[in-house]
Amino acid sequence: MGTSRRRGQGELEAQVLAALRAASGPVTAGMVRELLGGDLAHTTVITILTRLHAKGAVSRKRAGRSFEWTAVADEAGLAALRMRRVLDGESDREAVLTRFVTGLSSEEEQLMRELLAQAEEERED
């Protein structure tokens, strides 16, 4: 009797996104399922693709009666989308950002300062 490990939603999303990014072009849900080894139910793949679409991480184009899917975000982009959703769901954004920033290491804090300065320069251009 084998024990199968249950994957979390975030892990499945990352695997589906990686499969889309590895594909040479837009792919159907069935093709994504095959790229992932065929272990997932077709409906599970559709659910994950639909969730990624709602998050803005993938795009889809009608292809007959189904869709062809394309990644528009990488794993870092997907993590950023998740962070944005969490922040958008909080009533006290300042408190959340304050706690986040105070938890950064000195290296992360320096990187954040550099990224903010870069973003400011890009806005001015």
Side-chain angles (χ1 to χ4, degrees), residues 18-33:
L20 286 173
R21 293 189 59 77
S24 59
V27 293
T28 64
M31 294 165 79
V32 171
R33 184 176 177 272

Side-chain angles (χ1 to χ4, degrees), residues 63-105:
R65 292 177 27 201
S66 62
F67 291 102
E68 290 183 330
W69 304 84
T70 306
V72 295
D74 56 10
E75 287 189 47
L78 183 57
L81 288 168
R82 283 191 205 117
M83 291 167 64
R84 169 58 67 189
R85 285 183 58 196
V86 168
L87 185 60
D88 288 347
E90 295 297 323
S91 59
D92 190 350
R93 295 169 69 104
E94 183 177 346
V96 173
L97 288 170
T98 299
R99 294 274 171 88
F100 178 76
V101 170
T102 57
L104 296 174
S105 69

Side-chain angles (χ1 to χ4, degrees), residues 10-68:
E11 185 178 349
L12 281 175
E13 288 179 350
Q15 289 174 352
V16 168
L17 198 55
L20 286 173
R21 293 189 59 77
S24 59
V27 293
T28 64
M31 294 165 79
V32 171
R33 184 176 177 272
E34 288 176 25
L35 289 168
L36 295 172
D39 295 337
L40 296 174
H42 185 77
T43 55
T44 300
V45 174
I46 293 287
T47 299
I48 298 300
L49 287 166
T50 303
R51 287 179 182 163
L52 289 169
H53 183 260
K55 294 176 181 181
V58 302
S59 64
R60 66 183 181 190
K61 184 176 102 181
R62 178 73 60 189
R65 292 177 27 201
S66 62
F67 291 102
E68 290 183 330

